[in-house]
Amino acid sequence: MWILWAVTLLWAASFSLIGEFLAGHVDGYLAVFIRMALALLVFAPLYRWRRLPLLRQLQLAAIGAIQIGIMYLFLYHAFLYLSVAEVLLFTIFTPLYVVLIDDVIFNKQHLPLRWWLATAVAVVGAAIIRYETVSSDFWFGFALIQAANICFAAGQICYKRLPLGDERNQLHVFAPFFAGAAVITAFAALWFGNLQLAPQTSLHWGILLWLGIVASGLGYFAWNVGAKRVNTAQLATMNNMLIPAGLLVNFVFWGQNVDWLRLILGALVLGFAVWLASPRRSRRTT
């Protein structure tokens, strides 16, 4: 679990950088492609193609394409129809998709009821923090966000269930994951990107280097490795811990206003969800 907690804090800080310095200045599609390309460059020198059968490498590339590439396509399109607050609100359902996909596709027996309860509690906790009034015509944007949520959830579960050997072996075969993501985001940047909003300043490039090498490269690798160490309910509930973590980072570093009552109450509910998902409360830990 400590890996997922560490990545949560890392991503919370990274999202803050995006909001403060890149949003509105650097095109999102271009930024995502640059991040994936940088992440691929990090893992390319470590790549040992003989350590994994070709079919598994193609499966890993497909997981990267879905978990990051296609997910970002849906996510950025949703901003055309939703406010930022609505996008953040509608992402809270990801834990449900994590458990549902694992239960329906990968398990011959249904997952424990306690895991479903923990996941539902995680959604409630995130809703307490993020709920805002939505517009009357939000449905199409809502559908796009749910498609993004499903892609991100499916990528996590497929990686968790894909036999890749120990963590050292995963390090040496992870490059195809970012290769798949880079291909999808490259096409997205060509079709939808605005070259007039390409990164221009050293600050933009410095932040993109951090996001590509650390937040995306090390972050997605560590998150997926961590996904293999925990049970499905723990993975699902941790998907929503980024919400309170991100708000805290924004307050500490940028002084943004925080509704402390909702944040504390929602964080306590999320903490309870993570505790409820603990293996100590369930016999199954796969």
Side-chain angles (χ1 to χ4, degrees), residues 66-267:
I66 293 170
Q67 184 177 346
I68 307 178
I70 300 176
M71 180 271 288
Y72 275 121
L73 279 178
F74 285 124
L75 179 65
Y76 281 115
H77 268 76
F79 279 101
L80 299 175
Y81 304 94
L82 301 173
S83 67
V84 173
E86 289 172 331
V87 169
L88 293 174
L89 173 63
F90 296 153
T91 60
I92 69 174
F93 299 104
T94 305
L96 291 175
Y97 298 124
V98 171
V99 176
L100 181 64
I101 291 170
D102 197 34
D103 186 67
V104 171
I105 297 178
F106 290 100
N107 280 278
K108 296 180 180 179
Q109 298 179 345
H110 290 301
L111 299 178
L113 180 61
R114 186 181 298 276
W115 289 10
W116 285 98
L117 178 59
T119 303
V121 170
V123 173
V124 171
I128 291 172
I129 299 172
R130 289 298 343 163
Y131 179 76
E132 302 284 349
T133 303
V134 298
S135 59
S136 59
D137 55 349
F138 68 90
W139 287 107
F140 188 67
F142 176 83
L144 289 172
I145 290 296
Q146 299 322 299
N149 292 343
I150 291 171
C151 287
F152 190 59
Q156 294 175 74
I157 290 300
C158 288
Y159 188 92
K160 178 178 176 62
R161 299 303 181 186
L162 186 66
L164 295 171
D166 60 22
E167 292 170 7
R168 181 178 179 181
N169 198 66
Q170 292 175 58
L171 180 65
H172 288 297
V173 300
F174 202 71
F177 177 90
F178 283 118
V183 168
I184 296 297
T185 54
F187 280 114
L190 289 173
W191 289 334
F192 306 112
N194 182 356
L195 293 179
Q196 294 181 346
L197 289 178
Q200 301 288 338
T201 68
S202 57
L203 176 62
H204 292 160
W205 280 108
I207 293 172
L208 286 171
L209 283 170
W210 166 266
L211 294 174
I213 294 171
V214 182
S216 294
L218 301 182
Y220 278 111
F221 173 72
W223 183 269
N224 283 327
V225 167
K228 287 183 172 292
R229 288 190 175 191
V230 300
N231 66 43
T232 302
Q234 288 176 299
L235 177 61
T237 54
M238 284 300 297
N239 270 260
N240 275 355
M241 288 304 298
L242 183 63
I243 294 173
L247 290 175
L248 283 175
V249 168
N250 281 337
F251 171 77
V252 171
F253 290 99
W254 314 113
Q256 294 189 7
N257 293 330
V258 174
D259 187 330
W260 288 105
L261 178 60
R262 290 174 61 180
L263 177 61
I264 293 171
L265 180 58

Side-chain angles (χ1 to χ4, degrees), residues 24-35:
H25 303 285
V26 178
D27 179 78
Y29 294 106
L30 295 176
V32 170
F33 167 66
I34 292 170
R35 289 171 58 181

